[in-house]
Amino acid sequence: MIVAGAVCPAPPLLLPELAGQEDVGRELREVCVRAVTDLLAQRPDVVVVVTVEDPVRSPSLPQRVAEMLLSGALDAVAAADRPRVEHLVVPADADTSDIEKLAGPLLERTDDVAILVLAEGSARRTEKAPGHLDPRASAYDEVTRAALETPDPAALLAQDVELADALLAAGHRALVLLAAATQSAAPSPVGDLRWADDPFGVMYFVVVWSCAS
Amino acid sequence: MLRLGRRTFGDDETLMMAIVNRTTDSFYDKGATWQEDAALERVRAVVDQGAEIVDIGGIKAAPGVEISADEEMRRVVDFVAKVRAEHPDLIISVDTWRASVGRAVCAAGADLLNDAWGGADPDLAEVAAEFDVGLVCTHVGPQQPRTRPHRVEYADVVADAIATTVGLAERAVSLGVDRDRILIDPAHDFGKNTWHSLEVTRRLDEMVATGWPVLVSLSNKDFVGESLDLPVGERLMGTLGATAICTWHGARVFRVHEVTETRQVVDMVSTIRGVRRPSRAVRGLA
């Protein structure tokens, strides 16, 4: 069963090896590590890291960020209690129905599963943003933010995947998978939104969902 | 490791040594800091600009009116004491070849003896040992203090510079100077024609490979002026070009007139070399 979920962003600047003398990603990284630490506090048997396929590089950037965050969080867990880590990679061209099918096996698992999603909002929020300004970005991100905070898996599933692509919302399909895997959870997940901000024109969310009663 | 004054520096750290002349006639500043107040103000300015070292000199390098040891001491000893009092952590270097002057400035608080005439007074290294201060070991070829090079020949100028400076450094260690407080300097323009200085610049990595930290003194010198056909006062860009090459090869200390500009070039090249991180990295990474 799915006991918890967490969403963290995966910008390269979270990787300490890419930081300048001024480590601009430090605060966000610390928030992410605390979120993953709290995910592990649900004592899952396995952490499934959900990322979107990167055809260029393996391990992908989100997988490298996840490895860094898990490494920081696992330090606080006794070796005997550490969960296994598995990776679930969503194809870059999957549509929502494809993703729902991909989530199916997670619902049938008998071990306790925590889902760690690497995803972000739009990278087109301002004129200085990496993808320049798209006026649709704010409304799109607000839907995602509210759905993560509530939590509201159905609202995430209803987000337009093509719009997400147009808004450079990296990892959106991984968010859809989290929604698909938790939409029928009973009781409903409880959300704890830790971060929702766009310091560099890209919307970052950090949230933890507790699913088990 | 490099230890100067109270400070210790890692192998990839670079240092700015700002020139402060207590002379009436040095080639670049032409007496601008001859007056003590002006010299103290110059020290304050370069400290504000980030210089880790000031190099105080009482005699211009070129030939000219003879300056006795007593006169040299009058120019620099009290000044060193005042700088020491005002800037307790600043590394104070004194550019002198005379052991008697070296002893007096060390007693006044100097941290480093810049033996710019390459061991002309062999007792200077003993003074460095006696006061546990640093020493710059310099290559000037056959040249005597305050003379100009004239038809100097080397079989291999870089090999000669390495043999001389490393020999001086090892001698200093044998006399008791702390190995971590010694620098070597190929001394551009000293005992060298322009071709020699250009070759020393081009092959500075060979000096760096000795393991001794390398100081370079390039600022506004004639080899820059002759390379570009520019007079004193118009050599900053050329100086910075040479500075970039020396940084790329691993020079550690830069004796300079212009601190801010040199620091920017040294930091940029060090960052390209991969021995210094960018100050900030966001572009393409958000």
Side-chain angles (χ1 to χ4, degrees):
Chain A
M1 70 183 290
I2 295 168
V3 297
V7 177
C8 291
L13 56 75
L14 277 191
L15 296 171
E17 64 267 29
L18 295 181
Q21 294 179 36
E22 179 194 355
D23 183 0
V24 296
R26 183 184 56 80
E27 183 183 358
L28 178 59
R29 186 185 310 117
E30 289 173 357
V31 172
C32 291
V33 169
R34 280 198 297 275
V36 176
T37 300
D38 291 346
L39 187 75
L40 299 180
Q42 303 294 321
R43 301 181 67 89
D45 299 312
V46 59
V47 175
V48 177
V49 176
V50 182
T51 55
V52 174
E53 171 193 23
D54 178 354
V56 175
R57 184 165 176 179
S58 180
S60 67
L61 171 67
Q63 287 175 325
R64 287 154 59 205
V65 171
E67 182 182 2
M68 180 271 295
L69 297 176
L70 280 166
S71 173
L74 284 168
D75 284 346
V77 180
D81 297 331
R82 288 179 185 172
R84 302 185 311 280
V85 176
E86 298 178 7
H87 288 272
L88 180 53
V89 179
V90 182
D93 59 353
D95 60 22
T96 302
S97 66
D98 295 333
I99 299 168
E100 287 183 291
K101 288 175 194 162
L102 201 59
L106 285 176
L107 302 172
E108 296 167 7
R109 293 184 71 142
T110 56
D111 50 357
D112 287 349
V113 176
I115 298 175
L116 174 57
V117 169
L118 284 298
E120 291 133 38
S122 174
R124 306 192 64 175
R125 292 179 59 82
T126 67
E127 290 192 354
K128 296 287 188 183
H132 200 255
L133 175 66
D134 187 314
R136 299 171 294 177
S138 292
Y140 168 86
D141 283 337
E142 176 53 26
V143 171
T144 303
R145 187 204 64 76
L148 290 172
E149 185 172 32
T150 302
D152 185 353
L156 288 176
L157 283 166
Q159 287 271 58
D160 182 342
V161 174
E162 291 185 2
L163 176 62
D165 290 342
L167 295 176
L168 304 180
H172 171 72
R173 288 172 174 79
L175 272 184
V176 172
L177 190 137
L178 174 67
T182 56
Q183 62 180 326
S184 303
S188 296
V190 174
D192 181 3
L193 185 65
R194 312 284 181 84
W195 183 292
D197 200 1
D198 62 345
F200 309 110
V202 183
M203 193 67 190
Y204 302 139
F205 303 110
V206 180
V207 67
V208 178
W209 285 3
S210 301
C211 300
S213 57
Chain B
M1 185 186 12
L2 175 61
R3 296 201 301 141
L4 296 172
R6 305 176 185 181
R7 301 180 61 183
T8 300
F9 301 94
D11 289 344
D12 292 328
E13 288 187 80
T14 54
L15 309 180
M16 294 298 119
M17 171 191 262
I19 299 164
V20 181
N21 288 318
R22 297 302 322 284
T23 59
T24 59
D25 49 4
S26 288
F27 83 102
Y28 185 70
D29 58 53
K30 296 180 172 56
T33 52
W34 166 242
Q35 298 296 329
E36 186 178 88
D37 286 351
L40 285 169
E41 194 53 46
R42 161 79 176 159
V43 172
R44 292 179 197 116
V46 297
V47 167
D48 285 346
Q49 291 166 358
E52 291 84 0
I53 308 170
V54 290
D55 189 41
I56 298 165
I59 306 179
K60 76 167 181 175
V65 176
E66 183 177 345
I67 306 297
S68 69
D70 287 344
E71 173 60 16
E72 187 183 2
M73 282 192 267
R74 274 193 291 275
R75 292 180 176 192
V76 297
V77 176
D78 287 349
F79 183 71
V80 166
K82 287 181 179 174
V83 173
R84 171 53 66 229
E86 189 172 326
H87 305 276
D89 293 324
L90 181 64
I91 299 161
I92 299 175
S93 169
V94 174
D95 180 347
T96 185
W97 75 85
R98 290 173 169 140
S100 59
V101 177
R103 182 169 283 106
V105 296
C106 287
D111 304 301
L112 177 63
L113 296 172
N114 182 10
D115 187 8
W117 288 102
D121 182 344
D123 293 342
L124 190 64
E126 294 179 19
V127 174
E130 178 185 340
F131 285 88
D132 193 24
V133 299
L135 183 70
V136 181
C137 299
T138 305
H139 173 260
V140 296
Q143 218 173 319
Q144 296 301 306
R146 304 198 66 196
T147 61
R148 293 197 172 100
H150 185 58
R151 301 180 185 176
V152 181
E153 296 274 2
Y154 298 100
D156 180 333
V157 65
V158 175
D160 202 88
I162 290 172
T164 299
T165 56
V166 170
L168 288 169
E170 295 291 0
R171 174 179 178 271
V173 171
S174 74
L175 292 171
V177 179
D178 182 349
R179 177 177 286 272
D180 294 335
R181 295 185 184 275
I182 294 174
L183 294 144
I184 62 173
D185 175 5
H188 290 71
D189 275 5
F190 280 51
K192 297 172 187 68
N193 59 38
T194 287
W195 298 106
H196 292 142
S197 292
L198 293 171
E199 183 163 4
V200 163
T201 307
R202 186 161 54 244
R203 294 170 56 194
L204 196 77
D205 54 327
E206 295 177 38
M207 286 200 79
V208 171
T210 65
W212 294 97
V214 173
L215 178 151
V216 287
S217 182
L218 313 166
S219 202
N220 299 292
K221 282 188 169 174
D222 280 351
F223 84 98
V224 175
E226 290 196 346
S227 294
L228 301 178
D229 191 20
L230 287 173
V232 172
E234 297 179 28
R235 299 174 178 175
L236 174 59
M237 301 307 284
T239 298
L240 296 178
T243 298
I245 298 300
C246 291
T247 309
W248 182 257
H249 283 320
R252 298 286 307 284
V253 180
F254 298 81
R255 182 176 179 273
V256 298
H257 297 103
E258 287 90 1
V259 173
T260 301
E261 294 86 346
T262 310
R263 171 50 79 191
Q264 284 187 17
V265 168
V266 169
D267 280 356
M268 187 67 223
V269 176
S270 297
T271 307
I272 294 168
R273 281 185 76 208
V275 297
R276 174 188 178 275
R277 300 182 84 83
S279 296
R280 195 167 189 270
V282 174
R283 184 175 179 79
L285 300 172

